[in-house]
Amino acid sequence: MSTTAASKGLAGIVAAETEMSYIDGERGILEYVGIPIGELSAKSNFEEVIFLLWNRRLPTESELKQLKLDLSERYELPAGMSNRLLALPMNAGPMHMLRTMISALSMHDPDPNNIELDQARLKALNILAHAPTLIAYFDRYRRGRYLVPPRRDLSFSENFLYMLNGSVPTPTMARAFDICMILHADHGLNNSTFAARVVISTLSDVYSALTAAIGSLRGPLHGGANEGVMLMLNEIPSLKDVEPYVMDKIERKEKIMGFGHRVYKTKDPRATDLQKLAQQLAKDTGNEDLFAKSQAIEKIMERELAAKGIYPNVDFYSATTYHCLGLDLDLFTPMFAMSRIAGWAGHILEQLSDNRLYRPAAEYIGPHDAPYVPMKQRS
Ligand code: CMC
């Protein structure tokens, strides 16, 4: 078979069909199953979005109630998993913990390799319900605090903040966090979603596919950028230091985290929603200086790099949002992962329902008919 020139980074290559999310990168549009993301962040909730992504339609009242029940019944970890978690090094990175523990969940499943659609879906539900517990338990463990068991009467978002902080969040905090979960749930064939689809296309298992996706998401060019944004904001002492800091980075041709996107050539619609959220939360929590620095960075980037199609992406204002919600820096990317499990799982199910093994080609650019040089003659 002949191969054509490589498309570095697979830019512009259509490698899957999906009914889950639609992105128009020129016009800054994102829809889940046809519903604009702004509608969902304003009116929906995370559980409803999970149903939407997995069923390609909104749930009825009783279907939503059932999904909430199915999820909350699974908040607690399987026997033995808490002990496994408490044996981890306390200084482990939460993304390494999450990747490892989701992989470990497969060993607590009597039938981990079963990928019949209904079984794969059940496994995805289990993993999605366990992820907040893993993150909250690990965070409390590393701080030397007692573990707070989940409460089944709380929603996904409320329960996570409850387990993390030991108190039920205010409705404002819970709603803000739920909006973050909605906004991060799915995004076309991004790198981690592709990783999940590639792995499941071998007919491997749900745990392996999700583990690969978490590994991909951690990278600073992908979900890890939200942590990079916060590090940058912390490095800039005050508002007056923003201009020299950003200009110095631009002159050195260094990337500013939270800007630029392979698909969007305008402002990411999720960034627009998160900006509003960040502004309100910053006001409520006395973090106006942080929000002001973020806005100043955006203004300079617009002046300097908008012509290149570089605008804020989802990670830019999510950093301020998560900081205002009281989350530690290294929990930012796990928050992205916790929500994106919904999208990854939906894509795994989509791939399984019409599978063909992913096996692209590489353009060979090495030598041919090379001599086999005996060891003694090699320099
Ligand atoms: N700051 C400054 N310049 C940038 C940035 C940035 N954030 N992003 C891209 N550029 C420049 C880049 O230097 C290059 O310039 P030139 O043509 O002069 O060499 C040009 O824009 C194209 O960049 P690229 O890296 O080749 O574009 P890509 O489509 O391969 O990468 C990206 C997209 C998201 C990896 C990139 O924009 C980037 O590294 N951004 C910073 C990291 C980040 O915020 N990632 C989160 C992405 S969105 C959410 C998610 O996926 O998790």
Side-chain angles (χ1 to χ4, degrees):
M1 194 179 76
S2 69
T3 54
T4 51
S7 165
K8 282 227 170 137
L10 298 183
I13 303 289
V14 177
E17 288 179 340
T18 182
E19 292 179 342
M20 291 168 59
S21 53
Y22 168 77
I23 308 164
D24 181 331
E26 298 298 328
R27 295 193 293 155
I29 293 172
L30 170 63
E31 296 170 345
Y32 292 167
V33 196
I35 305 176
I37 193 68
E39 281 284 288
L40 291 167
S41 65
K43 299 175 185 166
S44 188
N45 55 70
F46 186 51
E47 286 89 341
E48 189 171 63
V49 164
I50 299 166
F51 188 99
L52 175 68
L53 292 172
W54 291 8
N55 298 280
R56 326 283 189 264
R57 64 175 175 84
L58 289 168
T60 62
E61 208 173 335
S62 64
E63 286 170 332
L64 182 60
K65 202 170 157 202
Q66 188 60 49
L67 177 69
K68 286 184 176 181
L69 193 69
D70 290 344
L71 265 172
S72 60
E73 277 175 349
R74 291 171 167 82
Y75 285 163
E76 191 48 276
L77 300 177
M81 274 298 279
S82 301
N83 288 342
R84 200 181 282 285
L85 190 114
L86 299 179
L88 295 178
M90 284 172 128
N91 62 354
M95 279 300 273
H96 293 293
M97 177 283 297
L98 191 64
R99 191 195 59 240
T100 304
M101 296 306 276
I102 284 186
S103 181
L105 278 172
S106 66
M107 297 180 283
H108 294 261
D109 180 339
D111 193 13
N113 303 340
N114 193 332
I115 49 169
E116 282 167 31
L117 279 180
D118 59 333
Q119 290 303 306
R121 196 183 167 109
L122 264 183
K123 291 175 201 310
L125 195 71
N126 274 324
I127 298 169
L128 185 53
H130 294 333
T133 317
L134 286 169
I135 298 167
Y137 276 13
F138 181 69
D139 190 63
R140 292 190 69 91
Y141 155 64
R142 69 179 178 169
R143 292 163 185 274
R145 295 186 179 158
Y146 63 90
L147 305 188
V148 178
R151 265 183 48 184
R152 288 183 181 185
D153 59 315
L154 299 178
S155 72
F156 184 94
S157 294
E158 286 168 336
N159 177 56
F160 170 69
L161 293 173
Y162 166 70
M163 289 188 294
L164 189 76
N165 300 321
S167 56
V168 177
T170 64
T172 312
M173 288 295 186
R175 178 65 191 149
F177 188 79
D178 206 51
I179 292 173
C180 292
M181 293 295 101
I182 294 171
L183 294 174
H184 286 87
D186 191 45
H187 205 243
L189 202 58
N190 59 86
N191 191 290
S192 53
T193 299
F194 186 47
R197 288 188 83 131
V198 167
V199 172
I200 205 67
S201 83
T202 68
L203 303 184
S204 178
D205 62 278
V206 175
Y207 300 94
S208 297
L210 290 176
T211 300
I214 294 170
S216 153
L217 188 76
R218 200 190 68 76
L221 297 186
H222 194 4
N226 57 14
E227 203 175 314
V229 172
M230 197 64 220
L231 288 171
M232 170 174 71
L233 289 168
N234 286 340
E235 256 176 35
I236 304 175
S238 70
L239 198 54
K240 69 172 173 29
D241 303 302
V242 171
E243 174 90 22
Y245 179 94
V246 175
M247 288 313 292
D248 182 55
K249 283 219 170 235
I250 292 174
E251 273 152 33
R252 290 167 187 268
K253 295 207 171 300
E254 280 179 29
K255 283 185 170 170
I256 310 284
M257 291 293 114
F259 283 83
H261 200 277
R262 177 62 64 78
V263 184
Y264 292 119
K265 297 306 160 205
T266 183
K267 192 164 174 174
D268 182 333
R270 300 167 299 175
T272 307
D273 272 356
L274 282 164
Q275 183 174 8
K276 287 184 215 145
L277 200 58
Q279 183 167 23
Q280 187 56 50
L281 286 172
K283 198 166 159 234
D284 295 350
T285 58
N287 280 297
E288 283 105 330
D289 55 332
L290 201 65
F291 183 74
K293 280 193 269 180
S294 308
Q295 273 207 310
I297 296 173
E298 184 182 352
K299 267 202 180 122
I300 299 165
M301 288 295 279
E302 185 160 10
R303 187 186 73 209
E304 299 295 323
L305 292 176
K308 273 179 111 174
I310 295 168
Y311 289 90
N313 59 48
V314 68
D315 291 315
F316 190 61
Y317 285 105
S318 68
T320 309
T321 305
Y322 287 142
H323 177 84
C324 293
L325 285 170
L327 293 162
D328 270 0
L329 178 68
D330 62 359
L331 292 184
F332 290 10
T333 315
M335 297 305 95
F336 193 156
M338 202 161 91
S339 156
R340 186 57 63 84
I341 290 172
W344 292 329
H347 280 267
I348 288 170
L349 298 172
E350 222 177 26
Q351 183 69 33
L352 283 173
S353 61
D354 184 23
N355 187 50
R356 188 167 186 214
L357 176 77
Y358 275 106
R359 202 314 183 182
E363 186 191 5
Y364 178 69
I365 55 166
H368 289 285
D369 287 331
Y372 181 81
V373 182
M375 183 65 80
K376 283 186 181 153
Q377 290 171 27
R378 293 177 208 167
S379 52

